[in-house]
């Protein structure tokens, strides 16, 4: 159950969120089980705010953040494209008639069946971060547009992703060489600063690393034309976070060194949806166990 509610904005250091008063009003008729209250007007407002903060960057919403059909449609209406990490997410977009060419498959490790399904649907862009994955994609779609994800330290993020994904410099050289050998279209570079990143300078470092990789690819005879600055754009929960405008200013400054013929995208997820919704459930019991207080929900 995901009803839309009228927006009543709660001011904080980073903008507006769903008012708790609206949550109480929605429950006035009674509680019938766990639900998610979602304000689509706030989702649309966050999309416009992202566009304004980073005019050179086209957002590709990370569908995994909230895959509800109403969210996807609202963002599509706001000129937001999409990033997926699974075949199931792709199917949701296909049901909404989202053009497959606008879908960015950024999970750098996929099973062959899901890869083949994406190719049949018309997806063109795939992220890789190893020679093995480059060969897998090239075997299924020889003319796929490939984006190389480079390794990034995630020391300033609350949920680091470093070590799980991303090519180190020696692997970058191996992937570039393999692309040249196979005649693969290694066409871009991506990075991710980690989820809920609290240091705007992390994006500057990522862009500088990506720019060096773009130059390395050109020197090898490849034709890179895309830069993906990933996700990690934070929202406020219990403590202040850098605003999207502060991050955008640093991104714009760093992108001044990136040639204008390189398309720039990003993968916002949490930023676009998290503070526009409130999950509601009931506490059905409590207990103290080994000195710690526990709550048990009906969720």
């Amino acid at each position: 159950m995901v009803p839309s509610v009228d927006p009543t904005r709660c001011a904080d250091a980073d903008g507006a969120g769903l008012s708790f008063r609206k949550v109480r009003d929605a429950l006035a008729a009674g509680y019938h089980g766990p639900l998610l209250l979602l304000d689509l007007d706030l989702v649309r407002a966050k999309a416009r705010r992202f566009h304004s903060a980073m005019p050179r960057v086209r957002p590709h919403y990370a569908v995994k953040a909230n895959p509800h059909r109403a969210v996807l449609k609202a963002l599509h209406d706001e000129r937001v494209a999409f990033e997926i990490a699974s075949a199931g997410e792709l199917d949701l977009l296909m049901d909404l008639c989202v053009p497959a060419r606008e879908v960015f498959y950024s999970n750098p490790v996929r099973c062959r069946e899901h890869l083949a399904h994406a190719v049949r649907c018309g997806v063109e862009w795939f992220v890789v971060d190893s020679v093995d994955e480059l060969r897998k994609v090239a075997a299924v779609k020889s003319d796929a547009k490939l984006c190389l994800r480079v390794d990034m330290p995630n020391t300033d993020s609350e949920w680091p992703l470093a070590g799980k994904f991303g090519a180190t410099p020696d692997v970058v050289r191996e992937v570039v060489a393999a692309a040249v050998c196979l005649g693969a279209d290694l066409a871009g570079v991506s990075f991710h600063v980690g989820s809920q990143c609290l240091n705007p300078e992390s994006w500057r470092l990522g862009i500088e690393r990506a720019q060096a990789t773009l130059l390395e690819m050109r020197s090898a005879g490849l034709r890179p034309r895309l830069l993906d600055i990933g996700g990690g754009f934070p929202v406020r929960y219990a403590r202040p976070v850098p605003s999207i405008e502060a991050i955008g200013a640093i991104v714009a400054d760093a992108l001044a060194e990136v040639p204008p013929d390189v398309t720039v995208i990003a993968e916002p997820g949490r930023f676009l949806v998290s503070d526009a919704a409130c999950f509601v459930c009931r506490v059905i019991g409590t207990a103290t166990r080994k000195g710690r207080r526990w709550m048990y929900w009906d969720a």
Side-chain angles (χ1 to χ4, degrees), residues 168-246:
T168 55
D170 57 328
V171 176
V172 167
R173 290 188 290 272
E174 293 173 359
V175 172
V176 169
V180 172
C181 182
L182 292 172
D185 187 12
L186 190 60
V189 177
S190 73
F191 64 87
H192 201 295
V193 297
S195 188
Q196 190 75 351
C197 183
L198 303 179
N199 184 1
E201 288 294 333
S202 294
W203 279 274
R204 186 192 304 276
L205 174 61
I207 292 170
E208 290 172 353
R209 289 194 175 192
Q211 174 75 331
T213 304
L214 290 169
L215 293 174
E216 184 174 345
M217 292 162 66
R218 288 195 185 94
S219 297
L222 298 171
R223 191 170 66 89
R225 52 199 182 275
L226 181 87
L227 169 59
D228 172 18
I229 65 172
F233 306 101
V235 295
R236 178 168 182 167
Y237 295 116
R239 56 175 171 160
V241 299
S243 70
I244 198 67
E245 290 76 17

Side-chain angles (χ1 to χ4, degrees), residues 24-181:
R24 292 199 305 267
D25 291 348
L27 295 174
Y31 174 81
H32 305 290
L35 70 151
L36 182 72
L37 291 172
L38 174 66
D39 187 338
L40 294 178
D41 288 338
L42 288 178
V43 173
R44 295 185 186 98
K46 292 298 284 287
R48 294 168 191 166
R49 187 175 168 192
F50 190 96
H51 282 303
S52 178
M54 302 189 201
R56 184 178 171 182
V57 182
R58 185 179 188 189
H60 283 243
Y61 172 62
V63 174
K64 60 182 172 288
N66 185 328
H68 193 273
R69 182 184 180 91
V71 172
L72 302 179
K73 186 178 185 308
L75 289 172
H76 185 52
D77 291 345
E78 292 294 332
R79 300 179 294 110
V80 174
F82 297 95
E83 174 269 326
I84 61 170
S86 71
E89 294 166 18
L90 175 59
D91 290 341
L92 293 172
L93 298 176
M94 294 300 96
D95 286 345
L96 289 173
C97 298
V98 172
R101 66 180 179 277
E102 296 182 3
V103 177
F104 196 71
Y105 203 151
S106 73
N107 188 343
V109 182
R110 297 151 290 252
C111 70
R112 191 176 292 268
E113 292 80 9
H114 289 184
L115 174 59
H117 175 63
V119 169
R120 287 193 298 270
C121 289
V123 175
E124 299 178 353
W125 282 96
F126 299 88
V127 172
V128 300
D129 66 356
S130 68
V131 172
D132 290 343
E133 201 66 19
L134 181 144
R135 288 175 175 159
K136 184 196 298 181
V137 178
V140 175
K141 183 175 173 61
S142 60
D143 63 343
K145 299 178 179 70
L146 304 176
C147 187
L148 175 57
R149 179 164 170 171
V150 297
D151 180 56
M152 266 289 293
N154 288 178
T155 53
D156 295 307
S157 69
E158 294 195 350
W159 288 279
L161 301 172
K164 182 178 181 181
F165 297 123
T168 55
D170 57 328
V171 176
V172 167
R173 290 188 290 272
E174 293 173 359
V175 172
V176 169
V180 172
C181 182

